[in-house]
Amino acid sequence: MRKGKVNFLWDVGSGVGRVEYPDLVINDGNWHRIEASRVGLNGSISVRALEGPKAGIMPTWHSANAPESYTVLDVDQNAYLFVGGMLGNVKKADAVKTITFSGCMGETYLDGKPIGLWNYRERDGDCKGCVVSPQPADSEGTVQFDGEGYAAVSRPTRWNPNVSTVMFKFRTFSTNALMMYLATKDMKDFMSVELSDGRVKVSYDLGSGTGSIISEKRHNDGRWKSLTMSRSRKEGTVTILDMDSNVEEKLYAESQGGATGLNLKEDERIYFGGLPTIGNYRPEVTLRRYAGCLKDIEVSRTPYNLLSSSDYTGLTKGCSIENLHTVSFPRPGYMELSPMVFDVGSEITLSFSTKSENGIILFGRGGVTTMTQISQNRNLVQIPRRNRRQTGEPFISVQLNKGSLEVLVFTGSRNPRRALRKPEEGILHDGREHSLRIRRHREGSFSVQVDEETRMEQALPSDHPISIHRLFIGGVPADLQTGLQRPSVPFEGCIWNLLINTVKPLVSSTRAGACDLYYTALNEGVLAHNPCFVIHRIFRRAVPQPTRPHPIRVRRDKQRGILTVDNRYSKHTVSPKKADILDVVGMLYVGGLPLNYTTKRIGPVVYSINGCIRNFRMLNVDMENPTSSYRVGSCFANPQPGTYFDGTGYAKAVPTYRVGNDVSVDVEFRTSTNSGVLLGISSQKMDGLGIELVNGKLLFHADNGVGRVTAVYEPVEGAGLCDGQWHSVSAHKLKHRLELIVDGVKSEAASPDPRSASADTNDPVYVGGYPESLKQFGLTISTPFKGCMRNLKLTKAGKVLEVQLNKALEIKGVQPLTCPGA
C-alpha cells in the first residue's frame, strides 16, 4: 500500500513490473478485497470495497507488463511467503518501498489455496485477532462444486406428489454434468436436471413413462442463469433466465402414461452436483459430476443451504469460477472466442501442455469474402489452398506439426509468413507446461517466443491491422477446415493463461483440475490433529520411497510448544495471548481427517499422509484399538512403489471406460500364485476385455460381441511368471486382432470375423478382481489377484490414462502406494 492505494509488483528476472489500483484508497477503516494475478510478464489487480460508501461498486481490472523477456517466476518449496510484513533479516527487493502493515487481514489465498494466517512458521510483532471480515453478499448460500463431489439433502417435509417446483441459479462452463437428481428406491419415479453438450436437459418419470426436454441454447457460458422447473401432474414447464441479459428460454414437457404423482418418500434423498459412487441410478442420467456454482436452491418452496447438509463432498462456499482460465481438450473439440484485432503492439500469450506432436493450438480468420460465402452456401467439400490468398482472407494459425511449433500470419496480401520452432531445440509435446508469446512490432514484423528461449522474428509486408472475425483454440469447426494451410488435427491437452492484449478472453474449464494429469502429484499430509495443536509437513513425492523412520516429538508447556525431529532438530513457538490451559474435548485423528470434517486454524493441509506411522504415544491413547479407521493398511519392512493386493478383493479404478476398436493396456506385476485376475472391463451384455493369470499362463481376452478371442503367453520351462519377480505386460487390442507382449516376448491372436471390430463397453475398470454380482465377458476366472502391481496405463487414440489406485472409487483387500519388498 502506497499512500492508501494498492500496488502490485513482480519481477520474473528481467525487471520489475508494477501496477497500481487507482480507483480506491483502502486506509479508510473499511474492509476491502484485493485480487492480484500474474501471467508471464503481465500483472493485473482488482480492489473491491466490501463495506462503506463504495461497497456497491463493482471493481475493474488494471494491468501492466514487466520488462522483457523472462516470463517464469522461479520459486520452490524453500521460498518464504510473508503476510503483513517481512522479517528484518530477509533482504527485500529495492522496488518494495514498505515492509510493514497495520490493520486486519482475512480470507487469504494463493493460487486458490487458503493460507492459514494462524498457522505460520515464524511471526514478528504483536498479531491479534480481528472482527471477521465481511464477504460479498453473493457468497452467502452460494457453493462451488469442484467436479468431483456432490451434496445430498433430505426431501422437503411438505411434499405434494402431484406438484413439483425446483428452483436454483447456476453458473458453469461444464459441458456434460448432473446438476440435480431425485428418485424413489425402486427408481420408477425420478426427476433430473442435467447439462448435455452445454444445453439444459430436464427429465422426469412418474411411474408410467419418461418425459424429457432439452434447451435449444447452450447455457454453459459462465454467466449466472436462473432455472425454474414447475410440474403439475404430467405437465412440466422449464424456464431458464440469463440474469445478465434478461433473455428467457421456456420449455415444455409431458411424461408418458397415466401416472400423475412423483412419490418420493420422506427418507429418500435429493442430490445436487453429482451422485455417490456406490448406488443404483436411472440409466439415462449422466454420472458425470458438476463443476460450477449453485445458489438460491429451493425444492417445493423449501430453501436449502448445501453446506448445512450432513453428506457433501467437493464443494466450498462462494463462487470463483471467474478465476478459472483453463480449458482441456481430452477429445476433439474447439472453443470460439470473441473477435480481435492483431495490430502493431498487439500481443497473444498462452500456456499449453500436450503429449501429442500434432494439433491446432489457436486459429483466427479474418472477414469472409463474397466468393467464400458462395462456396460455403454450395457446400463445396474442398477449396483449393490458394483460394485464401486470392480472396485476401487474413488469418493467424498456431499449431504443432510433427513436433514443430508453426506460427503462420497472413495479412491478406502476398504469402503467409511463418515462424518455425523445431523439436531439435527441445520437445514441446512432453506433457509439461510451456508458454508461448506472439507479438506484433512496428516496421512490419512479428515475433514468437517459446518459454524463455530466444525470440524468433519474421517480416510482414505491412503494418496494416489484421481484423480477426472468428477466433478458436484447440481446433476449428467443420466449415473452416477445408481452408486450412495444413490438415486439421484437433489439439489434445490443456491450454490456459490465454491473454490477448493483457485481457483474459478465456475463463473456462471443461473439468477443474483436468490439466494436472501430466504432472507429479503434490501429496500433502496431516500427521496428527486434535483440538490442541497441529503438526503438518509437505511431502513432494508421488509414492512412498524406502526410507528410514523419523522420530517426531511434540511437547507443550503452558503457552510454549516444542517440536523435535530426528532427536536433533527442534523448533518452538508461543501461543498468542495469555491463556495456558487447553480446555478441549474431541476426537484425536492420526494420519488424516474424515470427509467433511470442519477444520479450524490448521491451514490448507487436510489430506492423508502417504506413509507409515509407528510407536505413536500420547496419554491414554490406544493405537491398537481405534474408535474407527478408514483406508489404513499395514507397513512393510522393505517397501517398494506399487499397489499390494492381498488376494481377497479388487479395486474399482475407473468409473466408465469405452474399449471400442483399439486400446492398449500396460502394467507390471509380481506374484507367487499361479492364478488371478489382473484387469477386467466388461459390459453386462456380451462385450468385454480382460487380462488374467491362469495356471501360470498369461491370457489376454477380448470379446467384440461374436465370441471371446484369446492371446496366450506360456513361459518357457524354468522362467515362470509366479516367481515373485516383476514382469512387464503390454496388451494391444487392434480391432479384431490381439497382441500380447510379456517380458518382450510377443503372442498374437485374431477373431475369425474381422467385421466385428469394436468392444462396446461403457463400464468400470476393475483391477485385481471384481464383485461377485458382475459378469466379465473378457475373463474366464474370478480368482482375486495376490501380489503387487505398478505402472498401470490405458492408452486410447494417443491419450494415456495413468491409473492411480490410491484414487480408486472402491477398494477391498487392496493397499495402494506400497508393496512388500521381494
Side-chain angles (χ1 to χ4, degrees):
M1 179 174 65
R2 297 181 181 178
K3 297 182 180 179
K5 294 184 178 180
V6 180
N7 284 251
F8 176 36
L9 298 90
W10 65 99
D11 188 343
V12 291
S14 50
V16 177
R18 173 176 169 263
V19 58
E20 181 177 84
Y21 194 79
D23 302 337
L24 280 176
V25 292
I26 64 169
N27 58 344
D28 58 358
N30 293 313
W31 281 97
H32 296 81
R33 181 180 183 85
I34 300 169
E35 293 186 47
S37 68
R38 182 196 64 85
V39 177
L41 297 173
N42 180 261
S44 303
I45 190 168
S46 170
V47 182
R48 177 181 180 181
L50 299 179
E51 59 183 10
K54 297 187 177 181
I57 301 174
M58 293 304 294
T60 56
W61 283 90
H62 292 263
S63 303
N65 280 345
E68 298 185 11
S69 60
Y70 294 115
T71 60
V72 177
L73 182 64
D74 289 316
V75 296
D76 57 23
Q77 63 267 34
N78 298 315
Y80 287 96
L81 172 66
F82 296 99
V83 179
M86 294 174 63
L87 297 177
N89 60 349
V90 175
K91 183 181 178 181
K92 73 174 184 64
D94 294 337
V96 178
K97 300 302 182 185
T98 179
I99 60 170
T100 60
F101 174 79
S102 179
C104 293
M105 289 188 189
E107 301 288 332
T108 310
Y109 292 81
L110 178 65
D111 282 342
K113 296 182 178 179
I115 300 170
L117 295 182
W118 290 98
N119 189 29
Y120 40 76
R121 180 180 293 181
E122 293 185 52
R123 188 193 77 186
D124 189 22
D126 189 14
C127 298
K128 300 178 180 179
C130 275
V131 176
V132 176
S133 61
Q135 297 303 301
D138 190 43
S139 69
E140 194 60 43
T142 303
V143 295
Q144 180 165 337
F145 289 83
D146 64 4
E148 301 290 341
Y150 68 90
V153 298
S154 57
R155 194 208 73 179
T157 305
R158 298 179 181 178
W159 181 263
N160 184 343
N162 293 319
V163 178
S164 303
T165 305
V166 177
M167 302 171 62
F168 58 81
K169 297 180 177 69
F170 69 94
R171 182 184 184 196
T172 186
F173 291 102
S174 292
T175 304
N176 298 286
L178 180 64
M179 292 196 286
M180 190 216 74
Y181 175 87
L182 58 89
T184 56
K185 287 181 181 178
D186 60 10
M187 293 192 293
K188 289 183 179 179
D189 295 10
F190 92 101
M191 179 185 291
S192 67
V193 181
E194 306 169 63
L195 286 168
S196 177
D197 195 26
R199 296 175 171 87
V200 173
K201 178 184 178 182
V202 176
S203 306
Y204 58 94
D205 188 343
L206 308 178
S208 56
T210 303
S212 184
I213 189 68
I214 189 166
S215 66
E216 292 185 5
K217 299 178 182 177
R218 289 185 173 89
H219 294 281
N220 61 337
D221 55 7
R223 297 201 294 262
W224 278 110
K225 307 297 172 89
S226 174
L227 182 142
T228 303
M229 192 281 175
S230 301
R231 179 188 63 84
S232 178
R233 297 183 180 272
K234 295 169 55 178
E235 297 180 351
T237 304
V238 181
T239 305
I240 307 162
L241 175 68
D242 187 311
M243 299 178 66
D244 291 338
S245 64
N246 221 30
V247 174
E248 184 179 271
E249 184 176 7
K250 221 161 199 178
L251 313 170
Y252 301 94
E254 183 174 349
S255 61
Q256 301 174 25
T260 61
L262 204 165
N263 299 298
L264 194 70
K265 299 293 188 289
E266 191 171 358
D267 62 341
E268 292 170 334
R269 298 289 192 90
I270 302 173
Y271 294 94
F272 290 93
L275 293 167
T277 302
I278 302 174
N280 295 319
Y281 310 110
R282 293 281 295 218
E284 63 264 49
V285 173
T286 180
L287 297 180
R288 183 164 293 183
R289 291 175 173 176
Y290 174 72
C293 303
L294 294 180
K295 68 176 180 178
D296 299 343
I297 299 170
E298 287 188 15
V299 179
S300 295
R301 301 189 181 278
T302 300
Y304 287 95
N305 184 343
L306 299 185
L307 292 176
S308 299
S309 165
S310 59
D311 183 12
Y312 73 82
T313 182
L315 63 155
T316 54
K317 181 180 178 181
C319 180
S320 59
I321 66 168
E322 66 271 17
N323 294 328
L324 299 176
H325 40 281
T326 301
V327 60
S328 67
F329 297 91
R331 55 185 179 272
Y334 64 86
M335 177 168 285
E336 184 167 6
L337 308 176
S338 302
M340 66 164 290
V341 176
F342 192 52
D343 202 354
V344 171
S346 294
E347 182 178 272
I348 301 171
T349 62
L350 59 86
S351 300
F352 68 91
S353 67
T354 183
K355 286 193 171 182
S356 177
E357 64 177 12
N358 298 296
I360 296 173
I361 298 174
L362 180 143
F363 180 78
R365 190 190 73 174
V368 180
T369 65
T370 304
M371 287 302 297
T372 307
Q373 287 175 336
I374 292 171
S375 299
Q376 290 173 350
N377 291 339
R378 289 179 179 174
N379 295 317
L380 294 183
V381 175
Q382 186 172 4
I383 301 174
R385 292 180 180 174
R386 296 185 59 85
N387 279 10
R388 179 182 302 284
R389 303 173 197 171
Q390 293 166 355
T391 60
E393 263 179 43
F395 70 90
I396 301 173
S397 172
V398 181
Q399 63 179 320
L400 286 171
N401 179 35
K402 297 180 181 178
S404 296
L405 180 75
E406 190 176 69
V407 179
L408 289 166
V409 178
F410 181 48
T411 61
S413 61
R414 301 187 185 177
N415 293 326
R417 303 303 164 94
R418 181 175 73 160
L420 186 67
R421 195 266 191 197
K422 296 183 178 180
E424 288 78 10
E425 302 171 54
I427 296 175
L428 296 179
H429 55 284
D430 55 2
R432 299 180 181 275
E433 173 183 348
H434 296 282
S435 62
L436 175 66
R437 185 172 180 233
I438 305 169
R439 191 175 186 186
R440 191 165 179 194
H441 305 279
R442 294 187 182 278
E443 299 177 357
S445 69
F446 74 96
S447 64
V448 176
Q449 184 181 23
V450 177
D451 297 330
E452 294 186 336
E453 299 173 359
T454 304
R455 217 168 54 179
M456 300 178 288
E457 289 204 26
Q458 286 291 328
L460 290 172
S462 70
D463 281 345
H464 294 153
I466 301 175
S467 181
I468 301 298
H469 292 189
R470 300 191 71 186
L471 181 63
F472 303 89
I473 61 167
V476 295
D479 63 314
L480 294 186
Q481 291 183 6
T482 53
L484 295 176
Q485 290 286 312
R486 296 194 181 278
S488 172
V489 179
F491 182 81
E492 289 187 13
C494 298
I495 298 173
W496 68 101
N497 289 345
L498 175 61
L499 293 180
I500 298 176
N501 299 330
T502 74
V503 177
K504 296 176 183 176
L506 171 62
V507 285
S508 62
S509 174
T510 57
R511 181 180 177 273
C515 291
D516 60 3
L517 296 178
Y518 301 131
Y519 305 106
T520 300
L522 172 64
N523 294 321
E524 299 178 333
V526 174
L527 298 182
H529 170 242
N530 71 4
C532 311
F533 50 77
V534 175
I535 321 156
H536 65 85
R537 177 180 176 186
I538 296 178
F539 294 82
R540 288 186 177 265
R541 56 178 186 265
V543 294
Q545 303 295 330
T547 184
R548 65 181 179 85
H550 295 278
I552 296 175
R553 188 183 184 206
V554 179
R555 183 168 61 90
R556 185 186 69 86
D557 181 10
K558 295 184 178 180
Q559 290 180 269
R560 193 177 185 210
I562 303 158
L563 168 66
T564 305
V565 180
D566 288 340
N567 299 318
R568 296 173 57 194
Y569 309 105
S570 182
K571 288 283 186 179
H572 75 275
T573 188
V574 179
S575 64
K577 301 185 180 179
K578 296 181 179 180
D580 57 12
I581 297 175
L582 283 167
D583 185 15
V584 294
V585 177
M587 301 295 290
L588 171 71
Y589 298 103
V590 178
L593 297 171
L595 296 174
N596 303 331
Y597 184 87
T598 303
T599 59
K600 295 181 179 179
R601 296 186 177 180
I602 72 165
V605 185
V606 296
Y607 304 104
S608 175
I609 181 176
N610 293 331
C612 296
I613 298 176
R614 71 182 184 189
N615 299 334
F616 184 93
R617 292 191 294 272
M618 191 173 176
L619 290 176
N620 302 319
V621 173
D622 183 4
M623 282 281 287
E624 299 300 321
N625 298 289
T627 304
S628 63
S629 64
Y630 178 69
R631 290 195 175 184
V632 178
S634 302
C635 282
F636 303 116
N638 299 300
Q640 291 183 346
T643 293
Y644 176 64
F645 295 78
D646 67 7
T648 65
Y650 58 86
K652 183 180 179 180
V654 180
T656 57
Y657 195 82
R658 174 171 167 74
V659 173
N661 288 335
D662 303 316
V663 72
S664 295
V665 181
D666 294 278
V667 67
E668 296 175 53
F669 75 92
R670 64 179 177 85
T671 183
S672 299
T673 60
N674 63 0
S675 295
V677 171
L678 271 70
L679 178 139
I681 312 169
S682 178
S683 74
Q684 296 306 290
K685 294 181 179 179
M686 60 180 68
D687 296 15
L689 178 143
I691 304 174
E692 60 188 359
L693 191 64
V694 180
N695 297 324
K697 301 176 184 178
L698 195 74
L699 310 182
F700 174 37
H701 308 285
D703 190 336
N704 293 337
V706 294
R708 187 184 302 125
V709 182
T710 304
V712 181
Y713 170 79
E714 185 170 359
V716 298
E717 193 167 339
L721 298 175
C722 315
D723 55 2
Q725 303 299 313
W726 286 107
H727 298 278
S728 65
V729 178
S730 291
H732 309 284
K733 178 185 178 297
L734 308 168
K735 295 184 173 61
H736 69 291
R737 295 190 302 110
L738 301 182
E739 289 183 359
L740 175 63
I741 304 172
V742 181
D743 295 337
V745 179
K746 181 190 280 190
S747 307
E748 295 181 288
S751 169
D753 186 357
R755 295 171 300 174
S756 181
S758 175
D760 295 325
T761 68
N762 192 25
D763 299 88
V765 177
Y766 287 98
V767 181
Y770 58 90
E772 293 180 2
S773 59
L774 293 182
K775 299 176 182 176
Q776 288 287 330
F777 290 98
L779 296 170
T780 63
I781 64 171
S782 59
T783 307
F785 176 77
K786 184 175 183 179
C788 291
M789 292 192 212
R790 67 186 183 190
N791 300 332
L792 174 58
K793 294 183 288 188
L794 303 175
T795 305
K796 186 175 179 64
K799 183 183 177 184
V800 179
L801 173 61
E802 297 183 1
V803 178
Q804 300 180 31
L805 292 176
N806 61 316
K807 296 182 179 180
L809 304 170
E810 296 176 43
I811 58 173
K812 179 183 177 184
V814 180
Q815 186 163 332
L817 299 174
T818 182
C819 279

